[in-house]
Amino acid sequence: MTCNSIRLFGKVAESIVDGPGIRYAIFCQGCYHHCEGCHNPESHAIDGGEIYQIEQLIQEIKENPLLDGITLSGGEPMLQALACLEIIKAARNLKLPVMMYTGYVYEQVDSLLPEQKELFFSCDSVVDGRFEKEQRSLSLYYRGSKNQRIIDIKKSLEDNKCIVHEIDSFGQLR
């Protein structure tokens, strides 16, 4: 099954805060987590945002040779798994790594829909877990709260367990 469009809360053509390097950040519309203190509460409504053609997003990504990667954020990207999988297919063709933010955690993935599980494991890195206001920290790279992890998906699949990225002092994932 393919998907031609996606409902977006917004997009940032060149973000330096949504993952390492310069990233094309895609903010999906719709989220059921409703984390207290969420920095994008306007993204929660399932019927909000705007419909974008995925090909339009891919064209914008192709036109920027400075990009180091693509970030899927939200809202909750897992609610539009098929559309996000189309974006990941294009990212693979462009040799751009994909980072995704999700309120779900690695340990929940087996209980999700097959396309959500595929999305989770198709990314290069996943920031998992809901934003926890009580664990908020401004000193963390690419995360809002201390409970969130940046998972190395390739290593996790190889080792069949959750492997968390180390981050150097320059914000690069290892």
Side-chain angles (χ1 to χ4, degrees), residues 159-174:
D159 293 358
N160 199 29
K161 65 180 181 181
C162 182
I163 305 293
V164 176
H165 276 290
E166 293 181 24
I167 304 174
D168 69 20
S169 59
F170 299 103
Q172 295 302 308
L173 304 179
R174 297 177 179 202

Side-chain angles (χ1 to χ4, degrees), residues 31-39 41 44 103 129-133:
C31 183
Y32 294 130
H33 298 298
H34 299 266
C35 301
E36 183 180 350
C38 173
H39 71 283
H44 294 176
R130 296 174 53 154
F131 172 75
E132 299 288 341
K133 187 176 178 181

Side-chain angles (χ1 to χ4, degrees), residues 38-88:
C38 173
H39 71 283
N40 287 334
E42 300 85 7
S43 70
H44 294 176
I46 301 300
D47 58 352
E50 296 181 52
I51 302 292
Y52 276 81
Q53 295 301 306
I54 292 173
E55 188 55 42
Q56 177 187 349
L57 291 174
I58 301 306
Q59 187 58 40
E60 291 176 20
I61 293 167
K62 284 179 179 175
E63 291 173 0
N64 188 345
L66 300 177
L67 292 175
D68 296 305
I70 297 171
T71 296
L72 301 170
S73 189
E76 174 57 69
M78 298 289 262
L79 296 181
Q80 299 187 72
L82 294 175
C84 290
L85 282 166
E86 290 299 319
I87 293 167
I88 290 176

